[in-house]
Amino acid sequence: MKESKNRLLAVITVALCISLLAISAFAQSQSGNIYGKVQGKDGSVLPGVTVTLTGVGAPATAITDAGGNFRFLNLAPGAYTLKAELAGLGTATRAGVGVSLGRNADVTMTLNPAVAESITVTAGAPLLDVRKTGDGANVSKVELQNVPTARDPWVILQQTPGVVMDRNNVGGNESGQQSVYISKGAASAQNTWNVDGVNITDFSATGSSPAYYDFDSFEEMQIATGGTDPRIQTPGAQMNMVTKRGTNDFKGSARALHTSSSYQATPKIPAEAAAYLTTINQINKIDDNGGEIGGPILKDRLWFWGAYGKQDINVLTPTVISGARFVDSTELKNENLKVNAQPFTSNSLTLVDQYGAKIKTGRNVSTQRLPATSWDQADNYAHGLGSLKDPTLWKIEDTQLVGSNLYFTGLYSKVQGGFALLANNGTGCTTLACSLNTLPYYYDEKAGTYNRSFYSEVISRPQKQYRLDGSAFVNTGTLSHELKFGYGYRTATSSTLIAWPGSQWVDNYTGVLSQGPGGRDTGQVYFPRWPVGIYGEKVKDLYVGDTMLFGNLTVNGALRDDQQKAFVGAGVAAANPNVPTQMPEIDFPAIAGVPW
């Protein structure tokens, strides 16, 4: 007995030590779990009870183990019904059991030997999640749809305790842009973005999202600000978003939303800010239209869901051009398709295909960058570096249950980040050829302005990811273990092409008017090259964790190993066509395998 107690004490001590790295199911989550127990009226556990789950997707069954326990894992967010039955003991039904991202619902069901008929209890799962140690917020579909917001994920972050934003989006006056934010002291570069279980975080603009979204496409959002999952690599805020899916019922919806400048109050500038702030972004007009439909292809086996959304966002900026405030115009287009399948009882398969584009005119207009020198942004532009018309996100994922105590999930995904910044030239150019077909841009040093045109950029940022994750459930005496383990490999590449208009040269004829006695105007001409730069990273990660339940005590511990290697791809800087002898083509080799 003493030896047993010493062994248990040693286990607890080790568990508490590694729990300094404790992490819970919060990051890259796209599902939740239901854990339960079936007992008799006298509190005795009941093994061999058949528990049936119905709700989102196909029905599922589980048999309680020797301790009366059952579990349903990797469930899509939504409401479920549990039915427990055992010959001679009647049945018990628990309706309205809610499942949320990264959360665990613990349910106790009671069978009464003296009652033959079914007993139904309609109530949500207990609020206490004994397996959770993280901090954050879950925002359900009901809240997303019914609580008035500016309808983008950054506004949800803005409302999350522990997250500080660099701006406030009021009714959409900052929509179509990405806010910078921090959480609990972690730098913004430590933030991650996860959609349907895929880490899509931009590799070059670290901590930001490579895409914009159709707000009505989401089933639920979760923001984790502390105590993260063993799969997560950084301590910043983790944004997890899961899109809707098809069920056994055909469902659809459509929307047509309009916001006019006449709907808003005239903003008042506080007296203490009047010295540096004369006005703020105001809505000129916002239209948000879209629709969705989903349902069964084969009932209980194959489902689909699809959606389309388009936002036209027009905002009056504080910048005044020719006596009038400049109108910032952004168009967001999103397409979503998801197919869910259950080929057989122990297997589930998911296919995701998402496409998003941002088209923006007049980017970076200011008193220094006149409209002709602004950029017109497009996310679906192709030139030289491969097409940017690929899906923003493509994923195939398969989950296989092995018995009742082990499951594996394999995932392959591609993320296509990137965009084009095309010089407007005063003609609204939408192609690189148009942006280059003009006289060189020049800088007016006296006025402090760029004029006529500007340089253009075409940026490609693709990613590929492979993952294998699993969980195993083991009981050692009265101690319950949920082991989590996984391996991931991710590659990300950034390729940038920079080109100047007017055959690769830039004018600066105004110079400095006076440099003391005898001062005179100066003239300068710049001859740049047309470079293509390529760099990227390869990341491997391995983790193992354990959630241990000692009655009312839960201990979470995990260990993970990360390896990151940067590389620079082979590239070329083409010769300047005006002075090819003085500025010939430069080729540079690749540099691979540099550990960070």
Side-chain angles (χ1 to χ4, degrees):
M1 182 72 175
K2 183 176 181 181
E3 182 181 353
S4 176
K5 288 184 177 179
N6 289 339
R7 185 180 296 113
L8 179 60
L9 181 61
V11 170
I12 294 175
T13 302
V14 172
L16 290 175
C17 288
I18 65 174
S19 69
L20 292 173
L21 303 173
I23 33 197
S24 71
F26 253 120
Q28 291 173 282
S29 298
Q30 57 176 323
S31 61
N33 307 310
I34 294 178
Y35 296 86
K37 176 181 288 187
V38 181
Q39 62 185 21
K41 185 178 181 181
D42 59 357
S44 60
V45 298
L46 296 176
V49 178
T50 300
V51 182
T52 303
L53 175 80
T54 56
V56 180
T61 60
I63 307 297
T64 58
D65 61 18
N69 300 305
F70 66 89
R71 65 184 72 88
F72 294 98
L73 307 174
N74 274 11
L75 300 175
Y80 292 83
T81 297
L82 295 167
K83 181 180 180 181
E85 51 190 337
L86 185 64
L89 294 181
T91 64
T93 302
R94 183 70 172 268
V97 180
V99 170
S100 297
L101 297 184
R103 295 187 180 274
N104 306 290
D106 283 273
V107 179
T108 299
M109 304 181 72
T110 302
L111 293 179
N112 189 345
V115 180
E117 68 272 12
S118 174
I119 299 175
T120 301
V121 177
T122 302
L127 296 176
L128 178 63
D129 180 357
V130 298
R131 292 170 174 81
K132 182 182 75 68
T133 60
D135 300 321
N138 280 65
V139 185
S140 68
K141 178 174 65 177
V142 173
E143 295 172 280
L144 292 174
Q145 292 182 348
N146 296 336
V147 176
T149 69
R151 296 176 56 79
D152 73 25
W154 291 271
V155 174
I156 303 302
L157 283 162
Q158 178 180 306
Q159 299 171 352
T160 303
V163 177
V164 179
M165 314 294 289
D166 71 336
R167 71 197 72 184
N168 285 319
N169 188 338
V170 181
N173 73 330
E174 291 285 352
S175 292
Q177 319 299 324
Q178 293 200 34
S179 304
V180 178
Y181 58 95
I182 59 172
S183 175
K184 297 183 177 178
S188 60
Q190 301 293 321
N191 301 327
T192 64
W193 287 77
N194 307 285
V195 176
D196 284 327
V198 177
N199 183 348
I200 65 168
T201 311
D202 198 313
F203 161 67
S204 295
T206 315
S208 66
S209 168
Y212 293 81
Y213 307 96
D214 175 1
F215 194 72
D216 280 0
S217 68
F218 295 113
E219 180 71 25
E220 188 169 327
M221 293 184 187
Q222 179 201 63
I223 302 93
T225 58
T228 50
D229 184 273
R231 281 174 55 177
I232 205 63
Q233 295 173 301
T234 61
Q238 316 299 321
M239 169 61 87
N240 300 310
M241 302 180 289
V242 170
T243 56
K244 299 174 183 178
R245 55 156 291 170
T247 67
N248 281 332
D249 298 319
F250 278 105
K251 296 179 180 179
S253 66
R255 69 181 186 276
L257 308 176
H258 175 73
T259 303
S260 170
S261 58
S262 62
Y263 299 167
Q264 62 187 325
T266 302
K268 297 181 179 179
I269 307 300
E272 60 271 21
Y276 61 87
L277 186 64
T278 58
T279 187
I280 61 172
N281 278 5
Q282 290 180 260
I283 297 168
N284 187 48
K285 182 185 72 170
I286 299 177
D287 289 302
D288 185 346
N289 303 307
E292 58 165 339
I293 187 171
I297 300 174
L298 295 173
K299 189 174 181 180
D300 291 342
R301 281 291 179 264
L302 186 63
W303 306 265
F304 81 97
W305 171 81
Y308 175 80
K310 179 182 177 182
Q311 302 175 60
D312 289 304
I313 303 165
N314 291 275
V315 176
L316 287 170
T317 71
T319 303
V320 177
I321 303 293
S322 300
R325 292 176 65 181
F326 182 74
V327 178
D328 183 297
S329 178
T330 303
E331 181 182 277
L332 306 178
K333 296 180 180 179
N334 292 94
E335 301 169 7
N336 286 275
L337 177 64
K338 180 182 285 187
V339 176
N340 294 88
Q342 189 163 336
F344 42 93
T345 305
S346 62
N347 186 270
S348 62
L349 178 69
T350 303
L351 298 173
V352 172
D353 188 352
Q354 299 177 4
Y355 173 75
K358 175 180 178 180
I359 300 95
K360 183 179 180 65
T361 59
R363 177 169 170 169
N364 283 46
V365 167
S366 67
T367 54
Q368 287 76 43
R369 292 271 302 274
L370 301 180
T373 68
S374 67
W375 282 316
D376 291 337
Q377 178 175 338
D379 284 0
N380 60 349
Y381 182 73
H383 181 85
L385 299 176
S387 174
L388 302 183
K389 297 181 180 180
D390 294 335
T392 304
L393 168 62
W394 189 90
K395 180 192 86 166
I396 180 170
E397 180 181 69
D398 188 74
T399 297
Q400 176 64 50
L401 296 174
V402 182
S404 59
N405 295 320
L406 177 65
Y407 80 89
F408 295 96
T409 297
L411 178 151
Y412 169 71
S413 68
K414 292 176 65 177
V415 176
Q416 177 60 67
F419 49 92
L421 301 176
L422 305 173
N424 182 280
N425 290 349
T427 60
C429 285
T430 58
T431 66
L432 185 61
C434 171
S435 294
L436 301 180
N437 186 26
T438 183
L439 292 172
Y441 78 81
Y442 68 92
Y443 179 66
D444 186 335
E445 195 165 328
K446 291 181 291 185
T449 60
Y450 291 93
N451 295 268
R452 190 156 52 204
S453 185
F454 209 65
Y455 67 85
S456 299
E457 297 186 40
V458 180
I459 302 164
S460 178
R461 297 172 181 172
Q463 302 179 36
K464 291 183 180 180
Q465 298 177 64
Y466 307 83
R467 289 210 63 85
L468 179 64
D469 299 279
S471 284
F473 298 87
V474 181
N475 292 324
T476 54
T478 59
L479 178 60
S480 174
H481 298 268
E482 180 180 351
L483 301 174
K484 300 177 184 179
F485 48 89
Y487 172 80
Y489 177 73
R490 178 188 183 198
T491 62
T493 302
S494 179
S495 304
T496 303
L497 179 151
I498 301 176
W500 285 262
S503 191
Q504 296 291 95
W505 56 294
V506 182
D507 292 343
N508 183 346
Y509 289 137
T510 56
V512 179
L513 283 180
S514 176
Q515 297 177 344
R520 59 185 178 82
D521 289 353
T522 61
Q524 298 174 333
V525 179
Y526 302 98
F527 294 97
R529 286 187 177 93
W530 187 333
V532 177
I534 301 174
Y535 63 93
E537 70 168 354
K538 298 179 180 180
V539 178
K540 299 177 182 179
D541 71 272
L542 178 69
Y543 72 89
V544 61
D546 188 8
T547 298
M548 294 161 280
L549 301 181
F550 302 82
N552 293 327
L553 174 64
T554 301
V555 176
N556 288 272
L559 296 172
R560 65 172 292 124
D561 177 72
D562 294 277
Q563 183 185 69
Q564 301 181 37
K565 289 187 176 181
F567 63 88
V568 177
V572 59
N576 186 288
N578 301 288
V579 286
T581 303
Q582 291 79 8
M583 299 184 67
E585 179 179 295
I586 298 177
D587 297 292
F588 45 92
I591 304 174
V594 182
W596 283 1

